[in-house]
Amino acid sequence: MRYVIALDAGTTSVRAFVYDLIGKQFVYRAQQEVGQSFPQPGWVEQDADEIYYKAAYVLNDCIRFAGANMVAGVGFTNQRETTVLWDRATGEPVCPAIGWQCRRTSAWCDALDDDTKALVRERTGLVPDAYFSASKIRWDLDHIPAARDLLSRRRLCAGTVDSWLIFRFTEGRSFVTDVTNASRTMLFNIHTLDWDDELLSRFSIPRSVLPEVRLCDARMGEMRTRDGVLALAGVAGDQQSALVGQGCLRAGEGKITYGTGLFLLFHTGEKCVSSRNGLLTTVGYALKSGVAYALEGSSFHAGSGIQWLRDGLGLLSSAAESEQVAQSVPDTGGVCFVPAFTGLGAPHWNSEARALFSGITRGTTRAHLVRAVLESIAYEARELTDCIRAEGVPLSAVRCDGGASANDFLMQFQADVLGIAVDRPAERESTALGAAMLCALSLGLTDEASLEQFRRAGQVFEPDPAVRELREQGYREYCRAVKRALM
Ligand code: ADP
């Protein structure tokens, strides 16, 4: 069989890709946008059924393209933390999915006692925050009577998007997740690689509502198609999948993904490095051969700022237009932007902060605002790489991917702000590539030693020493603006 399919259930769209194992590239892709709703300030919800139906649509599209008998299996990758509750008997969602960016549970997280907060850090490697699934499950149990009713009848399932999709694709036969998705719930012990009974008990979340946790290169189930059955094999949360897809398979290698949010992941080997700088310790991937840990810095908003300029303010007709608009001015004219739409993630972990533009004058134009939003993305990444450096991890280059990495202006600006080379592969869909690689690995179609060959070289953006001081100055201004956003 020549192909594997990678299904990437992202925040703003669901995509499926046909990967050609012989040509070593994607040969077909299908995409459907998925909606988000914002019922209250700081709240983010999604329709789990919409995610499923659109995933089924793009998957079938890819199967039709490749021919069912030519497809060896389907690998999954997904937006992490977003939480779905559903009925085990009917497969019906109980309520809207709570999005990873949703801040509705931040007061609940703040109110956790110090002992529990310390336990979360120690067992899960995470900073207690509304971002992670535990508080979202708790919120649903506390506010949705139908969820409590199903719980009492032992029919409640709570899972992340991978778990939800695999449950539906296998018609309820597989209720599973993978180690990386589990590691983002705030309920999973990253040392023992199992749900943590102490945390489950403190949060009053019974183990029975959670999926079985499998390795990233495990078989997850089988999906019936018109022509037979298709193996569902290989799963990783989007950022971990991108780490694999970028070929960051050795300690010291790292990547930044520029999607809705910005995510930096740094491979730290078999060692769990716990951060003193607000970074998260997480599972990079867990294979039959062993576990790799990673340090992660995540900012909730990056490309979403560009989306807001387009959809909220009408300043852009497309996200891609931001590149040319930003380059139409030599600088931001003193304008600085902080993308704290729902608070600030690493390293600040502040739910109260809100986005701001500073330094606006009568001379400020649309181009200055657009440029400031793009620059803020690069500055966020700088904050995170400074934290990585502060952990004593040296950085010599970083690999980049995600929707906004298509923007050459942003990539060059990023290299200048970081002072290191920014390496963008030919295939920017590293997230999907990681899922394809894990699927191939799971099905025995490749081996670990050959994984690195999946990544094809693209363009390397080198830092320009001539603008170094200018970029340092820009970064200092950004840090001042962040302080204001935190006030
Ligand atoms: P996700 O997986 O989080 O849905 P993607 O990796 O698909 O995200 O990236 C989409 C994001 O990237 C959107 O927020 C969009 O605004 C932004 N984006 C896409 N293309 C560009 C571009 N050329 N310049 C800047 N931002 C872009």
Side-chain angles (χ1 to χ4, degrees), residues 8-15 31 34 36 79 100 238-239 257-261 263 302-308 310-311 316 318-323 374 377 401-408 410 428-429 431:
D8 176 3
T11 311
T12 54
S13 70
V14 177
R15 290 168 287 197
Q31 173 164 353
V34 291
Q36 295 183 81
Q79 52 163 323
W100 58 271
D238 51 11
Q239 302 315 317
T257 297
Y258 302 82
T260 304
F263 301 88
S304 55
I306 300 297
Q307 245 177 336
W308 172 67
R310 187 192 66 183
D311 306 337
L316 293 170
S318 68
E321 193 195 0
S322 63
E323 179 168 346
L374 276 176
I377 299 175
D401 55 59
S405 73
N407 191 312
D408 284 354
L410 174 61
R428 280 195 298 277
E429 301 288 355
T431 307

Side-chain angles (χ1 to χ4, degrees), residues 77-400:
T77 180
N78 56 291
Q79 52 163 323
R80 306 169 303 172
E81 297 104 11
T82 295
T83 302
V84 187
L85 264 63
W86 68 95
D87 180 345
R88 194 187 291 261
T90 65
E92 292 296 318
V94 181
C95 50
I98 303 185
W100 58 271
Q101 291 167 308
C102 187
R103 307 304 299 170
R104 76 181 66 178
T105 55
S106 49
W108 185 88
C109 290
D110 292 344
L112 290 173
D113 61 66
D114 288 346
D115 187 48
T116 304
K117 285 181 180 167
L119 196 71
V120 165
R121 285 201 179 86
E122 180 200 315
R123 303 274 171 94
T124 71
L126 305 173
V127 172
D129 193 83
Y131 179 19
F132 307 109
S133 316
S135 66
K136 302 180 198 291
I137 298 175
R138 196 58 257 157
W139 193 93
D140 280 339
L141 289 173
D142 289 340
H143 295 87
I144 310 286
R148 280 199 301 276
D149 178 48
L150 285 174
L151 177 65
S152 68
R153 291 193 282 151
R154 299 183 153 273
R155 273 172 44 184
L156 186 69
C157 293
T160 40
V161 170
D162 56 313
S163 206
W164 159 245
L165 289 179
I166 292 170
F167 185 92
R168 291 295 303 257
F169 281 127
T170 60
E171 297 157 87
R173 291 185 299 278
S174 293
F175 182 35
V176 295
T177 188
D178 85 291
V179 172
T180 64
N181 274 294
S183 79
R184 314 295 299 185
T185 57
M186 219 160 85
L187 298 169
F188 187 73
N189 187 316
I190 59 170
H191 311 285
T192 62
L193 302 184
D194 189 14
W195 300 119
D196 190 278
D197 286 320
E198 175 73 36
L199 287 172
L200 291 174
S201 129
R202 291 206 191 188
F203 298 150
S204 304
I205 296 175
R207 194 183 255 265
S208 62
V209 306
L210 298 172
E212 177 194 329
V213 186
R214 298 193 181 166
L215 297 171
C216 303
D217 59 347
R219 285 231 184 193
M220 299 290 168
E222 279 179 342
M223 175 184 151
R224 289 195 195 117
T225 68
R226 253 180 296 162
D227 309 280
V229 292
L230 203 52
L232 307 183
V235 176
D238 51 11
Q239 302 315 317
Q240 282 88 343
S241 190
L243 190 74
V244 172
Q246 285 276 22
C248 296
L249 303 168
R250 276 182 299 257
E253 293 175 332
K255 66 93 204 171
I256 302 177
T257 297
Y258 302 82
T260 304
L262 180 148
F263 301 88
L264 177 147
L265 244 78
F266 227 81
H267 192 308
T268 60
E270 292 162 17
K271 222 176 43 204
C272 247
V273 178
S274 52
S275 166
R276 290 147 300 175
N277 293 293
L279 299 177
L280 308 174
T281 308
T282 198
V283 178
Y285 48 85
L287 305 177
K288 293 179 195 96
S289 58
V291 186
Y293 290 96
L295 273 175
E296 172 171 332
S298 31
S299 303
F300 302 134
H301 295 281
S304 55
I306 300 297
Q307 245 177 336
W308 172 67
L309 291 177
R310 187 192 66 183
D311 306 337
L313 297 188
L315 289 186
L316 293 170
S317 55
S318 68
E321 193 195 0
S322 63
E323 179 168 346
Q324 166 230 324
V325 174
Q327 281 177 306
S328 70
V329 285
D331 53 42
T332 65
V335 177
C336 205
F337 180 66
V338 181
F341 296 105
T342 55
L344 285 169
H348 307 286
W349 299 107
N350 184 302
S351 305
E352 308 303 320
R354 287 295 175 266
L356 61 79
F357 277 110
S358 66
I360 293 179
T361 65
R362 275 299 302 272
T364 299
T365 65
R366 166 176 90 113
H368 292 129
L369 298 181
V370 171
R371 185 172 172 125
V373 171
L374 276 176
E375 289 191 359
S376 73
I377 299 175
Y379 294 137
E380 285 184 302
R382 167 70 187 267
E383 272 191 307
L384 298 175
T385 54
D386 279 0
C387 293
I388 294 268
R389 286 200 175 101
E391 304 295 350
V393 181
L395 282 171
S396 55
V398 68
R399 299 176 180 186
C400 290

Side-chain angles (χ1 to χ4, degrees), residues 400-470:
C400 290
D401 55 59
S405 73
N407 191 312
D408 284 354
F409 164 77
L410 174 61
M411 292 296 98
Q412 184 56 52
F413 194 84
Q414 184 69 86
D416 295 338
V417 166
L418 296 182
I420 56 174
V422 167
D423 181 347
R424 185 177 67 189
E427 178 51 74
R428 280 195 298 277
E429 301 288 355
S430 316
T431 307
L433 183 58
M437 288 159 68
L438 291 169
C439 181
L441 192 62
S442 166
L443 298 174
L445 303 168
T446 188
D447 55 27
E448 268 182 66
S450 314
L451 283 182
E452 261 166 275
Q453 292 163 13
F454 281 72
R455 182 185 192 268
R456 287 185 297 133
Q459 193 172 349
V460 178
F461 297 84
E462 296 287 348
D464 176 2
V467 295
R468 191 183 165 135
E469 192 33 51
L470 210 56

